[in-house]
Amino acid sequence: MTTQEHAVPSRTGVFTEAMARLASGVAVVTARQPGGAPCGLLVSSICSYSVRPPSVLVSIGRESRSYRSLLGQAEFGVHLLGSGDGPIARLFASRSDDKFAGLHWAWDGSVPRLDATPVYLRCVRRRVFEHGDHAIVIGEVADGEISHGEPLVYYRRALDWRLEPPVQSRPR
Ligand SMILES: Cc1cc2nc3c(=O)[nH]c(=O)nc-3n(C[C@H](O)[C@H](O)[C@H](O)COP(=O)(O)O)c2cc1C
């Protein structure tokens, strides 16, 4: 056996490998920048937080450019992405200066809203918990819209997974 086969992964290595094995949906979180332009980033750390009041939890990197905008605005948008939204996911995961150029979007009050994602939620920022290099942002759902579409699934560092219906629901 080589030395490499005996190598013990670091704590961070175990953590990132473990998280790579957690399948998740992905969302684009958007906000208005202090100067008035829209901004946004891709997140996989998103889940339901509470039912009363209806709230979501997102974990945002404190070094991201969107974080400061999220702290400066009362509201933000959450767009759960569909199976055909891979290019949008990659765009919002990038460091592009104008991620909105060439996209169909509009202001929903102070929130930049992308067209045609399967789920859109307008959220009021209620709490922020900073710890380590990220912060948990709790948003209370003020409004939203749901349309048809399968989710985009992130698993093992790839965005191209497709969900299949459970066996009993499959057309024969
Ligand atoms: C699949 C995937 C999931 C991501 N999930 C998160 C996340 O949950 N939270 C986060 O802050 N950044 C996440 N990121 C990284 C941000 O999308 C990325 O840092 C982005 O460039 C930040 O943009 P900004 O600096 O313009 O705000 C993820 C990236 C990828 C590719």
Side-chain angles (χ1 to χ4, degrees), residues 41-45 59-61 64-66 93-95 99 154:
L41 81 170
L42 182 73
V43 300
S44 55
S45 299
S59 172
I60 305 291
S64 69
R65 295 169 302 175
S66 303
S94 77
R95 300 282 294 173
K99 300 179 186 178
Y154 183 56

Side-chain angles (χ1 to χ4, degrees), residues 97-120:
D97 282 329
D98 188 1
K99 300 179 186 178
F100 290 76
L103 291 184
H104 295 288
W105 68 278
W107 289 107
D108 176 18
S110 64
V111 174
R113 177 178 177 173
L114 304 176
D115 279 3
T117 60
V119 174
Y120 165 72

Side-chain angles (χ1 to χ4, degrees), residues 29-32 39 41 58 60 64-77 125 128 137:
V29 173
T30 58
R32 182 180 179 278
C39 69
L41 81 170
V58 289
I60 305 291
S64 69
R65 295 169 302 175
S66 303
Y67 182 55
R68 196 177 312 157
S69 302
L70 281 167
L71 292 189
Q73 293 293 324
E75 295 189 326
F76 62 90
R125 181 171 43 78
V128 176
V137 179

